[in-house]
Amino acid sequence: MNSPNLEDMGCGTSSATKDKKSEKALKAALVIQNWYRGYRARLKTRQRYALTIFQSIEYADEQGQLQLSNFFSFMLENYTHVQEKEPGLVTRLFGSSIQDKDRQDYLELIEIPDSYCGPRLQFPLTFTDIDLLIEAFKQQQILHAYYVLEVLFETKKVLQQMPNFTHTNTSPSKEITICGDLHGKLDDLFLIFYKNGLPSVTNPYVFNGDFVDRGKNSMEILMILFVSFLVYPNDLHLNRGNHEDFMMNMRYGFTKEILHKYKLHGKKILQILEEVYTWLPIGTIIDNEVLVIHGGISESTDLNLLHRIERNKMRSVLMPPIPMDGDRAEKKNKLGTTTVAQGIRTSGSFSEQLTKQEWEQVIDILWSDPRGKRGCYPNTNRGGGCYFGPDITSKILNKYQLKILVRSHECKPEGYEICHDGKVITVFSASNYYEEGSNRGAYIRMSSGTTPRFFQYQITKATCLRPLYQRVNAIESSAIRMLKERMISRKTDLIRAFQLQDRNKSGKLSMGQWAFSMENVLGLNLPWRSLSSHLVTTDKDGNIDYMSGFQDVHIQKPVKEVQSTLIETVYRYRSDLQIIFNIIDSDHSGLISMEEFRSMWKLFKSHYSVHIDDSQFDELAERMDLNKDGSIDFNEFLKAFYVVHKFDQLTKSDTKLA
Amino acid sequence: NLNLLEDGKERKEEIAVAEFHKKIKEAFEVFDHESNNTVDVREVGTIIRSLGCCPSEGELHDLIAEVEEEEPTGYIRFEKFLPVMTEVLLERRYRPIPEDILLRAFEVLDPAKRGFLSKDELIKYMTEEGEPFSQEEMEEMLSAAIDPESNSVLYKDYITMMVIDEN
């Protein structure tokens, strides 16, 4: 215990009064400290809860991928049936990529107008081009499609020469820096380069996947990384992440970003990008000791096999290999003949796919997460890859004489996390990933023989960080908002579950009953008891008025006369529908025919077991009057389904505290 | 009929304990990053406080000693944490400080009754008296407590703001 500083208590008073005064001051200080620590702890906990909400919802969404993937498989299984109804549709979905278009074909057609004042790259690229791009992007300029395509072609060419795993070495004078997910957050990349220096022969980097999606500068990050790679192909290493996948991009924003920034040439860019992704290496091995991969491993991870496979056949997590079948092959060939004429993607032979085992090996690398529980289990949260325990880590690392596994894929509050007895490091480089204040970003510097060093940072818009309670309030309200939108999208199922437990039809449930239903229906493992105060009203006996959870949110009805269940269903599956429509819309015009729209809905309905009258859906489409010459603008259609928060108007007009 | 009454009381306590268990489990799980029923010992204080208790640092230290392993591993297991925390909640230990006591504490440190504490005064008291703040704790408190115009802590306003935020 500190003795009070008597001089500060004022001189000239008797020592007895001094002691009494100082004792009072001591007690007062204790009271304030005690109160503050309690308050601070509760703030940190609220921050944690908000993060847990974001993360649960994110993973549950990813699990939706599996459902979508099953849907595509389902469509293929009902192939002939679908084929009769929708010629060309399944080909579009499963046909292999277009023939290697000659570079000249594309680039010749593109003219850079004199009025273009964005950055101009000079091939062969040098470090000045890296600087040029960074400066230009800092001023929010957009790189012309011509250069984008040139960079993509060049990158593909160079990547094709590289093996599935990059092997590199460090030395005490040449440390390597490993960065995790960036997800389109350009400011974080700028910060890393500012703190850690630009890539060069003496300053090598590994970027461990997920460069794109979610943030709004995925293209700019990709361009900086690819250009840096072309300038320093032996010192800037790129690993593929689960978001380097054209189907993930459709759902998580990169496709949209491209089509928005490149209205004229976006489609071409998307086509080439799809291929470039498949040529990205699966991982990097440093000093034969450190394995750097995006997601993780499974008990069956076979590095030798992974070194051998033809990695470019891995197109998307949503496109598992089609089962080999003599009949099917024949049919497909027939299909090939008919569709070539239409100029849509030609179907390739089955040798253009990986085997099921190979495909699963890659999925494990890109999608798995480490956990404390021993063993290996399907990653049910994400719907792909596994949860692997410390025993699996030891087993696999030992098998290949490796010491450490560095991976990314999961957002961590401190930007990094060490687990499995120091053998697994997670590094995540997108700060404020979910929301401003949600988490720090980090990168690692390491060299052979020394302990890895971690560097953390957090981007902030203001010149000084807002007080903790404001930051926590911001992410908390954002998280609760998301959660409420989730609830409203499952309103019918939730009410049914509540009513099943509410025997007396009192409109009330105990905390335990309410929490049970919420967890079961929403499939989210969240601290419901602690969150209940934000979501529902509780009476003095501690019982919950379960309908109060739906009070201040509703889904905007685009058309009055349509049933709520239909509205709810379209809202709930809007991401999946987005992807499906995008795929049908092979020329990326934003329009599909009414006929395609209807048959897609029918297929979707039967697979997802949605019980809604076809006529309802027709009526909805008709009434929304989005019909443009027999086509429907599906983006407009989906945009019309959104959630309204009752208190939005209020929060907008609130003066924000400084 | 006394027996019936006592049964009823016991039943109520059972239910209360069951609910406490669930609450404690929830709070614990949020910090259980590896999902293996352990948390870092450095987060135990946060967990206990998030459950509404306000132990002093000294009291927290004693609690941790109760839940730690015989040979401290740096991790606290849920099996040890649950019974101890349940007792704490049942006995309503470490109750939070009421607003008016908090106000009086500030007033003690401001004998001249100016209505504020200067930044330096607050720093001195918080980092030199009682159970001193770490630098991080001090900085965080200052960022919210300091009124930028006067560069002092208008403690009455500060308390009101914090109380509103918590509710």
Side-chain angles (χ1 to χ4, degrees), chain A residues 568-587:
Chain A
E568 201 180 298
T569 305
V570 176
Y571 177 74
R572 181 170 153 196
Y573 288 110
R574 64 198 187 291
S575 306
D576 286 1
L577 288 169
Q578 179 95 50
I579 297 186
I580 294 169
F581 290 146
N582 263 310
I583 291 182
I584 301 175
D585 175 28
S586 56
D587 64 352

Side-chain angles (χ1 to χ4, degrees), chain A residues 240-252:
Chain A
R240 191 175 186 184
N242 63 308
H243 278 262
E244 275 69 57
D245 178 326
F246 76 106
M247 288 221 178
M248 293 291 280
N249 293 166
M250 281 192 213
R251 185 187 220 140
Y252 290 104

Side-chain angles (χ1 to χ4, degrees), chain A residues 280-316:
Chain A
L280 286 167
I282 295 170
T284 302
I285 297 179
I286 305 172
D287 298 325
N288 284 319
E289 283 181 344
V290 180
L291 175 61
V292 189
I293 45 179
H294 179 74
I297 50 177
S298 77
E299 63 189 344
S300 52
T301 291
D302 182 347
L303 285 184
N304 294 326
L305 179 142
L306 284 165
H307 267 83
R308 285 195 315 261
I309 61 170
E310 292 175 75
R311 70 179 187 273
N312 64 305
K313 292 180 181 175
M314 175 72 188
R315 292 178 66 213
S316 165

